[in-house]
Amino acid sequence: MSTALRPSACPGLLRIVQALDGGICRIKLNGGSITADQAGAVADAAERFAGGAIEATNRANLQIRGIGEQSAALIDSLLAAGLGPRTVAGDDVRNLMLSPTAGLDRQMLFDTRALAEQILDTLQSHPRFHELSAKFAVQLDGGEALAMLEHPHDLWLSAFERDGEVLLGFGLAGCPTDRALGAVTLEDAHALVVAVLELFLDLARPEQARMRHLLDELPRLAFLEQLRARVPVKAVSGWQRTSAADDLHIGAHPQNTEGLLYVGAVPPLGRLDPSMLRGAAQLALQFGDGSLRFTPWQSLLLPNVKTSDAAAVLNGLEQLKLLTQAAEPLSRLIACTGSSGCGKGLADTKQDARHLATLLQTGQSVHLSGCSRSCAAAHRAPVTLLAVSPGRYDLYFRDAAQPGFGALHAHNLTIEAVATLLDARSRSPLDA
């Protein structure tokens, strides 16, 4: 790996970024998947060379926090486990999101994994793509029931069926639930990704790091017109991706093979310790296929579990203090690192979230953010608490007509006041 590592504010495997609680190393997982042995290597690295904190991220990756002076040894151990990029410069651009149940989902229209491997190989091996921002991201949706459809991506592709043929609708700077700009055949999908990225790099100025920045000046249809000269694009009308269920990442759910299911569990607030990760990996070896899949809900799945083993797996995960029921309030809360580990955090969001979970009478999806950067959530949550000072938050409700977190409902609330207000609102028929 001889290519120089470029500067960036984003952590990577090879670039440790400092925070209040030490260095952060981000481990990008292809399709969110990791073998049991690799999971063990991550647990060992966090224990030996850092503070032991492992985070599941909202892009189905892992982070190790609290890294001190042994960062080089930590990186070497993860590279030895096969968790690194093919080239140094290729690490930043490995931003391809799949469904956590790719290849297993009963609703999928095609198995996205082979195409994903081809795209990831091109992103890492094509030197020009190393110019892309470390935040530039692509989503490939195979029509699965379990799919994160609310995270905006620079380019998204989403499968649908027309006249007996599976096509991929695509769009720019948005989500698969947006109206598609056009469609391509599965055979042309890889060429489309290459063409979109090359055209973006041709047209964007250096300060236009994301697709949305370019489209602020260039109409989408003008981009599409130039794209058509590079790849065959079909017109799309009357198709819209329907929303997916929001609780299929937790608990036991059937796969597309009779007698097999996957089991999902949520580490409280996305945080694992080494024993949790080792324990989940051991369950995957004993009852699954020896792999784990991380999800954009900051959770993990054990795929290919026999139906007869579901109860044992669920019990094993619960023994590890992982959450396996959507009704548990803590399983629906997300929180950033907060002031305990981040210099920008105005409140201890993780501690406050745990307190909120004990107060809520009903399960509600709530995002606690220590500052306006919203690091813990790439999507707009139904309820957002934005810290204004220790233990106090502004309360926002999602509103399609409002940018950012949504509509501001109340200022400077304590956690107790938030819980009272949310419970009252959940019981009101006006807010059904």
Side-chain angles (χ1 to χ4, degrees):
M1 294 194 179
S2 57
T3 308
L5 192 66
R6 64 180 175 176
S8 173
C10 290
L13 177 64
L14 309 171
R15 179 177 47 247
I16 308 297
V17 172
Q18 291 302 311
L20 201 60
D21 58 348
I24 304 172
C25 172
R26 182 172 298 158
I27 306 157
K28 294 185 177 179
L29 307 178
N30 292 353
S33 187
I34 188 170
T35 68
D37 286 346
Q38 289 174 328
V42 173
D44 290 347
E47 199 166 60
R48 294 176 61 200
F49 308 123
I54 304 163
E55 292 178 328
T57 78
N58 59 37
R59 289 200 56 82
N61 295 316
L62 289 173
Q63 288 186 165
I64 295 175
R65 299 190 68 96
I67 302 165
E69 296 177 357
Q70 292 183 285
S71 60
L74 177 138
I75 291 168
D76 286 345
S77 72
L78 296 174
L79 288 174
L83 289 165
R86 294 179 186 173
T87 64
V88 168
D91 192 34
D92 277 344
V93 295
R94 293 191 293 157
N95 301 325
L96 176 64
M97 182 183 285
L98 306 182
S99 163
T101 50
L104 311 174
D105 199 291
R106 295 197 298 173
Q107 188 177 294
M108 73 180 194
L109 295 176
F110 83 109
D111 187 341
T112 58
R113 290 175 296 176
L115 175 57
E117 187 175 346
Q118 190 180 11
I119 293 170
L120 283 167
D121 181 63
T122 299
L123 285 170
Q124 294 182 81
S125 61
H126 194 329
R128 192 160 185 227
F129 291 158
H130 302 164
E131 300 171 26
L132 292 166
S133 161
K135 295 182 181 294
F136 198 99
V138 179
Q139 179 171 11
L140 177 57
D141 162 41
E144 297 90 354
L146 178 57
M148 170 52 79
L149 302 176
E150 294 187 301
H151 284 195
H153 282 75
D154 296 274
L155 167 65
W156 58 262
L157 301 93
S158 186
F160 68 100
E161 199 166 9
R162 187 171 73 182
D163 299 329
E165 181 184 20
V166 176
L167 299 173
L168 282 166
F170 67 89
L172 307 172
C175 308
T177 49
D178 297 339
R179 182 165 301 201
L181 196 59
V184 292
T185 64
L186 296 185
E187 292 74 21
D188 287 329
H190 177 258
L192 173 83
V193 174
V194 171
V196 168
L197 301 192
E198 288 183 339
L199 184 55
F200 170 80
L201 290 170
D202 286 346
L203 298 174
R205 298 191 304 275
E207 67 271 19
Q208 293 173 317
R210 304 295 299 276
M211 184 66 76
R212 68 177 185 271
H213 301 147
L214 175 63
L215 297 179
D216 284 341
E217 295 182 3
L218 181 72
R220 276 174 166 76
L221 292 180
F223 189 98
L224 178 62
E225 185 179 348
Q226 295 194 49
L227 188 62
R228 287 183 186 277
R230 303 184 182 211
V231 66
V233 175
K234 298 176 182 290
V236 179
S237 62
W239 172 77
Q240 193 103 21
R241 174 63 151 106
T242 55
S243 296
D246 66 355
D247 58 357
L248 292 177
H249 64 284
I250 185 168
H253 300 277
Q255 294 180 187
N256 57 3
T257 300
E258 188 70 29
L260 291 180
L261 44 76
Y262 68 85
V263 181
V266 178
L269 304 176
R271 184 70 65 88
L272 302 108
D273 60 33
S275 63
M276 274 182 178
L277 187 53
R278 286 195 194 99
Q282 184 57 44
L283 289 170
L285 284 169
Q286 185 176 354
F287 296 108
D289 62 6
S291 75
L292 298 172
R293 296 190 185 190
F294 284 85
T295 86
W297 293 269
Q298 296 173 268
S299 63
L300 60 86
L301 307 183
L302 276 74
N304 293 309
V305 173
K306 292 178 182 177
T307 304
S308 57
D309 290 330
V313 173
L314 286 165
N315 182 63
L317 292 168
E318 289 162 5
Q319 293 297 314
L320 294 169
K321 309 299 184 193
L322 292 160
L323 308 172
T324 62
Q325 298 181 45
E328 297 176 89
L330 194 56
S331 75
R332 303 180 71 89
L333 303 186
I334 54 177
C336 65
T337 301
S339 57
S340 64
C342 176
K344 292 184 169 61
L346 299 178
D348 189 342
T349 50
K350 290 202 182 292
Q351 178 177 306
D352 290 341
R354 288 181 178 275
H355 183 38
L356 178 62
T358 67
L359 300 174
L360 287 174
Q361 301 299 311
T362 55
Q364 300 186 56
S365 297
V366 183
H367 166 213
L368 289 83
S369 190
C371 74
S372 60
R373 293 186 304 161
S374 188
C375 293
H379 67 294
R380 188 183 303 169
V383 179
T384 297
L385 299 178
L386 178 61
V388 292
S389 64
R392 290 185 172 268
Y393 295 82
D394 286 349
L395 171 63
Y396 292 82
F397 292 126
R398 182 164 58 192
D399 185 337
Q402 300 267 8
F405 296 125
L408 177 62
H409 183 78
H411 280 291
N412 200 29
L413 298 178
T414 63
I415 290 297
E416 291 80 5
V418 168
T420 300
L421 196 154
L422 291 182
D423 281 335
R425 189 172 187 266
S426 70
R427 291 191 295 269
S428 170
L430 296 177
D431 293 301

